[in-house]
Structures are given as structure tokens and as C-alpha cells.
Amino acid sequence: MSVSPVVILTVQVAALATVLVTPLATAVAYLLARHQFPGKSVVSTLVALPLVLPPTAVGYVLLHAFSDDALFGAALGLEILFTAKAAVLAAMAMAFPLIVRTARLSFEAVDPGLVQVAETLGDSPRQAFWRVTFPLAKRGLVAAMILGFMRGVGEFGATVMIAGNIPGKTRTLASAIYSAQQVGDDATAWVLLGLAVGVGFVAISTSEWLIGGRPV
Amino acid sequence: MSQLSLSVQREVPGFSLDVSFVCCASITALRGPVGSGKSTTLKILAGILGGTGSIRFGDTTWLDSDQDIHVPPQERAVGYLPQELSLFPHLSVMGNLNFAGVRRSQREDSPELTDIVQHLELGAFLDRLPSELSGGQRQRTALGRALASGPSLLLLDEPFAALDEALGVRVASYLARVSDRHRIPILLVSHQPGDEQNYYQQIVTLDNGRLMPDAIPDPADRQPVGDDQNPVNELSCAAPTEDGCIQLGDTTIYVTSRCDADAMSFDLRIAASDILLVLGGLPRIMAENVVPATVTSISSTESGAHAWVKLADGTTWVVTLGARAHVPESGEPCHLVFKAAAAVLYGS
């Protein structure tokens, strides 16, 4: 089994998923951190749910939502399932709650008193966000993106459900390790494992450094 | 100077605030024990805490819950110093001072940044981050940020708390000058008063969310302001005549005007120590103002005596007597003598 297409596809899928899901996840995180609204605890729980569900359960839901005759599949006409797009979708679904959680902590760590003072100094709420909240939460937001990216790199269950494990098409690092082990290709499995450990190590230590050692 | 008047209420479980007062002096101090509602009052005035009632500053309404008016904080142009300072941790001292640089440049006659840096003694650490400052440096930076924001009103929560006595007095004296020169009224919270309280001209005392009795000044019966040692006579008066005089009853007073062109209300201020009290016949005096009066009472303290005198128009003035001066009798007729330079007219 060739390792490099797997690594390239994995990084592409995880990076694209992170970029696509971060704006929404950050907005939801900000909403949960700074605003009170009816049903907030329900929203907060629903958003966190994919963290504790079996990834295959999430994949199963996505499978039914995005099949050609289902709600999203038909509406979007994207022909997503069992393509690399599905791998991106699965990575997005699994990274979303993690990014929301980390970003929310970053926003909550910004003293609301600072925003109030910025407003007394003439800033509109939007200006105060960009001049105070965002610069102070920035490191945490980058850390959230790194964690989301890593969740995408390691994603297996939901990906296999909706994207499959097609060599050269949807086979990512996680499914490649599984496949190598299945066919007894220990050498490849060890190489892939080494790569996964290396990327994970760098990502976790970077995000720990960015958020100043606070537990996420 | 624009006048601040408020009547605000706020209910939270376990505490209710209901205060009404008018700030008629240039520096008004809010006093009272911990938890009496001083900081809450300031926050409602700054617009960062909700409340009901009404707040008027000059001719603008900031809050009127009956008419559903709630001007957001960014449109009130207050310089607010919170008790917790809330310096922006990602900005240097200079970055904090310049946070409201745009608003400062839009307001004419704002305190100059260089002046603020010099008088608050910030020059040595302008490029440091708040986390690298001592408590006193942080406090002065936060105070400087409020002053440098082009404010029309300063709301200062414990501005001297982290300063030593001597520095506190220097800063208070600077604040008094800023308030006078730039026509910015100051409402400050002072929990443990020190010598800087000599600069307070009006004191409002709160207890458990209510105004303490006799803390409400009656604008119609304004007494000399200042403090025991250095009182200042402050009187509401009519607009000056064309030649720059004002009329107090039948008496014409020559003044130094520091009024806005479009001023609507006028205050005359004369420090008690700038007035000479003359008994008996008058020698030839080269001063613009010689005003007949009657001594009503004498008060003596360790630092000297003051005479309280009544003018023909019924207003009561206070005059500082020299430590070794002859002390007049109550009821004695006298003249008050002072230069026009000592009688400063403010208009807003």
C-alpha cells in the first residue's frame, strides 16, 4: 500500500473540513458563551452530543440525511456519498463539537468587563468584538482549529459509514491503518501509526501552548 | 459645566437600589459602606448595567424608562474607570491610552495626551503591557485611559485606591484642574477617603442602596463648596452683561469669564481665601469688587478661622480670615474686597 496518497488525502480532507466548519462552530461558540436565549442548554447539549455518540451512529445519521433521495442529498444534488466530499462531511460533523467546545472556553475566558469598558470608550458591540474579544480569544480559536483538524485526521467511524474505504479515493490515515492490519501489512501499519503519532504530538503540544496549558 | 441629574432604580435579589441626586459641583464624591450601591450607580450611569428611572446629562437624556429611552454606552461619551480597572491585557499602556483616540480627536478641548502622561506619571512605562505593571501604575493607566477618551463626564470608581497618599493628592489636584479647564464634571466613588477629599465639592452618601439624609444638595440654597480648610463660594447667577459683569441683586460684580458661547446656566466661583474682609471705613482700594455685607457667624478650626457673611441679595458667602487676623463680631457690617481675576464665571 502506498502511504503518500493516503497522507495527502487525509491532510486535505481534515484541512478542508476545518476551514469549512470553523466559521459556523465559532459563531455557535460565541452565541453559547455570551448570550442567553431560551433553549440554550438544549442547544449546548445537542452540539456536544457527537462527542459522546459512537462515530458510526453519527455516520449512520449522515448516511440517511445525505443519500440521494434524502432531505439534504436531494436538495443539494451533490452526490456526496462514497466520495472524498463525504469524508470531508464526516470530518466536519466530528470536528464541529470539539471546535465549539474549545472556542466557547476561549470566549468565556475573555473578561466581559473588558468589552463593557470598550463600549464606554465609544466602541459598538461589533467593534468591541474585533478590538477586544477576538484578539484575546485568538490563541484559543487557533487551538480549537488545530484540535478540529486532528479530529478530522483521526476520523474513522463516520467516514467509513458514508465515504467508505476506497483506496486512492476515500482511504484516509485511520482507514488505511485498519486495512493494513486486516491484510497483515504490519510494516505499512507501523509507518502510518508513526505518522499519526507525529502529527498528533505536534498538534496537541501546539494547542496546549496556545491555550496556555488550560485543560480543554 | 453640564449638569448630571439622575433618579435610578435597580432590583436584584437581595439588593435594591433607588437613588436620586443632582451633581452640581465639578467634583462630586459618592461615599458609603461596601455594598451600598456606589459602583452599581456608576455602572448604570455608564450604561453598562440596566436600570429604570431617568438620567439626564446637560440637555441630553441617557435613560428614561417611561419613554423607553436607553442610550447605549458608546453614545454617552463618558470616561469610565471601573474598580477592577479592566485594562486591555493585549495592549501596551500607550495602546490602552489610545483605545478611544478617535473619540478624543473628535471632541474639541479634550485633555491632551502628553498632559495626561505627564501628570499621571506614565511616561516611564508607556510600552509595557498591563501584566508588567505595579498596582499603582495599572490604576493610573486606567485613569489615563478614561481621561484620554474625549469624555464629557468622568465616572471614576475608586481612582485613588492603589495610590499612596502623596500621589493620590497630586492626582486629585490634577483631576480638579482637568475638570475646571476642560469643563468635565467628575463623579467619583471614594471608599476610604484620604487627603484627596479636599478636592471634593459635593459629597453624596449612600447606604444600602438609598441616599443618606442631608446628602441631597438643594441647588436653590447653595452653600460654599470646597472643604473645611479651603472653601469655595459657588453661586448660581444670571447671564453676564455685555461688559462682562454680573448682577447679584443690586450689586455689580466684575468677573473673569470662562463661559461657553452658548452657555445657558452660570456659576460664579470665588475661593474664600481670595476675599479680603474689611471692617469699618474703606481705604482707597485698587480692586474691581467691593461688596457690602454683614458678618453672620465665625467658625474656627486649628488651621484658621472663617467668617460667614450675608450679602444684600440674601446669599451667604464664606471668607477665610488670616490665622492672626482680627476676628469680627457677628452682626458687624463689612465689605468684601476681591479682584475680578478671583471671581470666575463658568457657564454651561
Side-chain angles (χ1 to χ4, degrees):
Chain A
M1 190 196 303
S2 172
V3 168
S4 50
V6 170
V7 173
I8 290 169
L9 180 69
T10 305
V11 170
Q12 282 176 335
V13 164
L16 188 60
T18 306
V19 168
L20 291 177
V21 84
T22 295
L24 177 66
T26 310
V28 170
Y30 184 75
L31 205 65
L32 290 172
R34 281 287 189 261
H35 293 276
Q36 297 301 327
F37 53 89
K40 178 174 166 176
S41 61
V42 176
V43 173
S44 175
T45 308
L46 280 177
V47 164
L49 212 50
L51 281 176
V52 294
L53 284 178
T56 44
V58 177
Y60 191 74
V61 171
L62 291 174
L63 186 65
H64 282 276
F66 285 88
S67 66
D68 289 348
D69 53 353
L71 180 64
F72 295 110
L76 299 172
L78 289 174
E79 295 181 352
I80 285 177
L81 296 181
F82 301 100
T83 66
K85 286 184 236 169
V88 172
L89 184 67
M92 284 170 70
M94 298 311 293
F96 180 75
L98 201 59
I99 297 181
V100 170
R101 203 175 158 74
T102 315
R104 179 180 176 175
L105 288 173
S106 317
F107 285 131
E108 283 173 348
V110 177
D111 175 7
L114 296 175
V115 178
Q116 291 180 335
V117 167
E119 291 183 11
T120 68
L121 292 168
D123 273 14
S124 67
R126 184 185 294 263
Q127 286 170 320
F129 175 83
W130 288 111
R131 294 181 73 196
V132 178
T133 309
F134 183 74
L136 290 172
K138 196 169 56 185
R139 287 160 67 100
L141 296 181
V142 175
M145 286 179 75
I146 291 175
L147 289 178
F149 173 78
M150 283 316 294
R151 187 69 191 78
V153 168
E155 171 41 38
F156 177 68
T159 309
V160 166
M161 294 290 286
I162 65 170
N165 181 7
I166 308 163
K169 201 174 165 201
T170 64
R171 176 168 291 173
T172 59
L173 203 54
S175 46
I177 292 174
Y178 176 75
S179 302
Q181 188 273 332
Q182 288 289 298
V183 299
D185 185 357
D186 275 347
T188 307
W190 280 112
V191 171
L192 291 166
L193 177 71
L195 285 168
V197 168
V199 175
F201 190 87
V202 171
I204 296 288
S205 28
T206 310
S207 70
E208 288 282 308
W209 173 72
L210 282 170
I211 57 181
R214 270 183 290 121
V216 177
Chain B
M1 199 174 284
S2 297
Q3 201 173 56
L4 176 70
S5 60
L6 62 146
S7 171
V8 293
Q9 300 83 41
R10 182 178 162 84
E11 294 278 341
V12 287
F15 180 72
S16 98
L17 179 80
D18 187 352
V19 293
S20 307
F21 60 88
V22 178
C23 295
C24 20
S26 55
I27 300 188
T28 303
L30 260 183
R31 283 223 189 123
V34 174
S36 56
K38 307 181 298 289
S39 297
T40 303
T41 304
L42 238 53
K43 285 188 165 125
I44 294 173
L45 284 168
I48 57 177
L49 203 59
T52 55
S54 68
I55 302 171
R56 284 186 60 80
F57 180 66
D59 50 11
T60 53
T61 300
W62 284 351
L63 176 72
D64 188 333
S65 39
D66 288 342
Q67 295 187 50
D68 212 19
I69 297 173
H70 184 277
V71 173
Q74 64 267 27
E75 290 168 26
R76 298 190 182 190
V78 298
Y80 170 56
L81 167 71
Q83 193 175 4
E84 50 279 7
L85 305 182
S86 298
L87 288 171
F88 300 119
H90 58 304
L91 300 176
S92 67
V93 169
M94 195 44 138
N96 272 277
L97 293 176
N98 270 329
F99 193 86
V102 174
R103 192 170 82 188
R104 180 173 69 239
S105 63
Q106 284 166 350
R107 188 190 134 103
E108 289 174 21
D109 191 31
S110 286
E112 290 288 333
L113 191 59
T114 48
D115 212 40
I116 293 167
V117 168
Q118 184 199 335
H119 284 97
L120 294 180
E121 301 169 32
L122 306 172
F125 47 86
L126 283 175
D127 53 355
R128 283 199 218 153
L129 289 172
S131 56
E132 300 164 336
L133 302 178
S134 73
Q137 291 171 333
R138 289 164 56 79
Q139 180 138 40
R140 271 138 57 207
T141 304
L143 179 59
R145 181 179 63 183
L147 285 166
S149 68
S152 51
L153 168 70
L154 282 166
L155 300 171
L156 311 176
D157 203 341
E158 301 273 11
F160 313 112
L163 308 182
D164 64 52
E165 188 84 24
L167 186 54
V169 170
R170 285 207 297 282
V171 169
S173 128
Y174 173 58
L175 285 177
R177 285 202 303 282
V178 166
S179 175
D180 258 4
R181 194 173 302 160
H182 301 279
R183 326 291 310 127
I184 304 170
I186 299 176
L187 176 61
L188 59 83
V189 165
S190 161
H191 183 234
Q192 287 175 310
D195 282 349
E196 70 279 349
Q197 66 177 312
N198 293 342
Y199 293 91
Y200 307 160
Q201 293 156 345
Q202 178 189 355
I203 293 174
V204 176
T205 310
L206 298 187
D207 189 21
N208 200 21
R210 299 289 184 277
L211 227 54
M212 292 292 282
D214 81 30
I216 308 165
D218 183 353
D221 180 29
R222 237 187 274 176
Q223 290 293 312
V225 291
D227 62 88
D228 290 349
Q229 272 79 45
N230 305 297
V232 175
N233 295 288
E234 190 178 70
L235 307 116
S236 296
C237 57
T241 59
E242 276 177 22
D243 51 354
C245 304
I246 58 157
Q247 285 298 129
L248 281 183
D250 291 338
T251 313
T252 301
I253 301 209
Y254 294 87
V255 299
T256 304
S257 177
R258 285 198 206 152
C259 297
D260 299 337
D262 54 350
M264 300 294 287
S265 67
F266 298 88
D267 285 336
L268 179 65
R269 278 193 224 159
I270 312 169
S273 55
D274 285 342
I275 305 173
L276 205 59
L277 190 144
V278 180
L279 298 169
L282 282 171
R284 289 176 65 202
I285 293 171
M286 296 301 115
E288 291 92 336
N289 295 300
V290 180
V291 182
T294 309
V295 178
T296 55
S297 64
I298 306 293
S299 65
S300 292
T301 61
E302 284 176 11
S303 57
H306 293 110
W308 300 75
V309 300
K310 198 163 203 155
L311 270 62
D313 70 326
T315 52
T316 299
W317 292 34
V318 61
V319 179
T320 305
L321 302 171
R324 284 180 287 277
H326 168 75
V327 175
E329 307 262 325
S330 290
E332 242 184 295
C334 62
H335 283 90
L336 307 184
V337 178
F338 51 95
K339 292 180 177 176
V344 183
L345 184 69
Y346 294 105
S348 56

